[in-house]
Amino acid sequence: MIEGRPYYLRLVSSPEELAREAGAEFVRLAADTLEGKQNFSVALAGGSTPQRMYRLLAEDERYRDSVAWDRAEFFWGDERHVPPDHPDSNYRMAFDTLLRHIRVSPAQVHRIEAENPDASMAAKAYEDLLVRHFRLSPGEWPQLDLALLGLGGDGHTASLFPGTDVLEDRQHLVAAPWVEKFHSFRLTLTANVFNRARHVIFLVSGKDKATALKAVLQGKDQPQLFPAQLIRPASGALWLCDRDAASLLVEPYFQGQ
Ligand code: 6PG
């Protein structure tokens, strides 16, 4: 159970409805944010689950034409340690499903330069980018308007994997943990950055996530094993889950938001 901070669970019937619900939240949060600010900053999630949502935002005019894309600033929650044109690149995935289909300038797209063979240098470079973009003084943290996140079957989120040293990192904005299961470095925003986002939305779909989702939301507080438990933003994360992913959850649980 995620002690201390509320989370909100919104169940949907299918991956298609998950994409629609997530797309509607994106449109709503962008509009709300832009009533009071010039720009809307979003950290995109990687992996496969968000792709349907990104395609919907790009291809369905009910969503696409409801966002002031020229005022959006795109970041990534994490990246694989590969060049931007690599099939595993989260940047490439977002570019192919969303960014190439909407009117945004390169200046609005802040990818992680994961082509750098030195992963820790790539992390430092992204941290420097965030410091410049958000005009941070030493000790200050960036505040994203929205962070989109997924959940791995092992309870990871972004590239915060079980048993990795990044889970305790309270100092950096960006880290480059070695992930043994992939025998590779990853690049990731740290939990502190996600927790300072104004809004956090998890997108979770499929039976293969049911055990992890139950452990994260309704199991003991053990973030070393289930790092998604580290993500406890003050506003309360919204967990958008389809019925397959939520099939092991027991009531009562928070509904709504
Ligand atoms: C990544 C993501 C990762 C992802 C989960 C779920 O780079 O892959 O950041 O955290 O969100 O692994 O992935 P799926 O959506 O593909 O199940």
Side-chain angles (χ1 to χ4, degrees), residues 144-246:
L144 292 157
D145 293 307
L146 172 61
L148 296 173
L149 286 168
L151 179 70
D154 60 358
H156 82 264
T157 191
S159 284
L160 304 172
F161 284 87
T164 56
D165 53 8
V166 64
L167 303 186
E168 280 92 29
D169 187 335
R170 298 291 176 269
Q171 183 196 347
H172 297 99
L173 308 183
V174 188
W178 174 260
V179 185
E180 190 54 38
K181 71 188 282 189
F182 299 125
H183 206 66
S184 167
F185 286 101
R186 283 285 188 95
L187 292 144
T188 187
L189 300 184
T190 57
N192 272 357
V193 175
F194 290 120
N195 282 330
R196 281 163 178 76
R198 292 179 55 239
H199 301 280
V200 172
I201 301 178
F202 280 90
L203 310 177
V204 190
S205 172
K207 274 209 177 309
D208 60 327
K209 307 297 175 71
T211 303
L213 186 66
K214 179 166 177 64
V216 168
L217 295 185
Q218 298 186 333
K220 282 193 309 188
D221 199 20
Q222 37 190 10
Q224 277 294 329
L225 291 178
F226 302 103
Q229 290 184 329
L230 291 170
I231 311 306
R232 317 170 184 189
S235 57
L238 172 59
W239 289 76
L240 290 181
C241 307
D242 69 14
R243 293 236 173 261
D244 281 348

Side-chain angles (χ1 to χ4, degrees), residues 19-247:
R20 289 195 297 272
E21 196 66 29
E25 280 297 324
F26 185 99
V27 168
R28 182 181 70 80
L29 289 174
D32 286 357
T33 301
L34 294 175
E35 276 179 16
K37 289 175 66 182
Q38 179 51 33
N39 296 104
F40 171 67
S41 59
V42 54
L44 298 175
S48 54
T49 304
Q51 294 185 31
R52 203 185 291 268
M53 169 202 178
Y54 297 166
R55 285 200 181 89
L56 198 65
L57 287 172
E59 297 164 8
D60 185 323
E61 68 278 357
R62 290 170 297 177
Y63 299 85
R64 186 191 60 238
D65 298 349
S66 302
V67 179
W69 295 111
D70 60 326
R71 295 169 66 189
E73 297 288 341
F74 294 94
F75 300 86
W76 274 258
D78 75 321
E79 188 54 279
R80 288 78 179 282
H81 191 206
V82 295
D85 57 353
H86 190 283
D88 291 347
S89 165
N90 286 335
Y91 163 78
R92 174 174 164 176
M93 179 275 281
F95 181 80
D96 289 345
T97 54
L98 174 60
L99 299 176
R100 70 186 301 170
H101 305 288
I102 57 177
R103 268 204 296 279
V104 288
S105 71
Q108 295 171 253
V109 179
H110 313 284
R111 70 177 183 85
I112 301 172
E113 293 180 347
E115 63 272 28
N116 188 328
D118 183 331
S120 59
M121 291 292 289
K124 177 69 173 69
Y126 205 55
E127 180 148 332
D128 292 346
L129 180 153
L130 293 172
V131 168
R132 285 194 309 276
H133 182 85
F134 289 96
R135 297 186 177 85
L136 303 178
S137 302
E140 282 187 333
W141 297 86
Q143 184 173 47
L144 292 157
D145 293 307
L146 172 61
L148 296 173
L149 286 168
L151 179 70
D154 60 358
H156 82 264
T157 191
S159 284
L160 304 172
F161 284 87
T164 56
D165 53 8
V166 64
L167 303 186
E168 280 92 29
D169 187 335
R170 298 291 176 269
Q171 183 196 347
H172 297 99
L173 308 183
V174 188
W178 174 260
V179 185
E180 190 54 38
K181 71 188 282 189
F182 299 125
H183 206 66
S184 167
F185 286 101
R186 283 285 188 95
L187 292 144
T188 187
L189 300 184
T190 57
N192 272 357
V193 175
F194 290 120
N195 282 330
R196 281 163 178 76
R198 292 179 55 239
H199 301 280
V200 172
I201 301 178
F202 280 90
L203 310 177
V204 190
S205 172
K207 274 209 177 309
D208 60 327
K209 307 297 175 71
T211 303
L213 186 66
K214 179 166 177 64
V216 168
L217 295 185
Q218 298 186 333
K220 282 193 309 188
D221 199 20
Q222 37 190 10
Q224 277 294 329
L225 291 178
F226 302 103
Q229 290 184 329
L230 291 170
I231 311 306
R232 317 170 184 189
S235 57
L238 172 59
W239 289 76
L240 290 181
C241 307
D242 69 14
R243 293 236 173 261
D244 281 348
S247 56

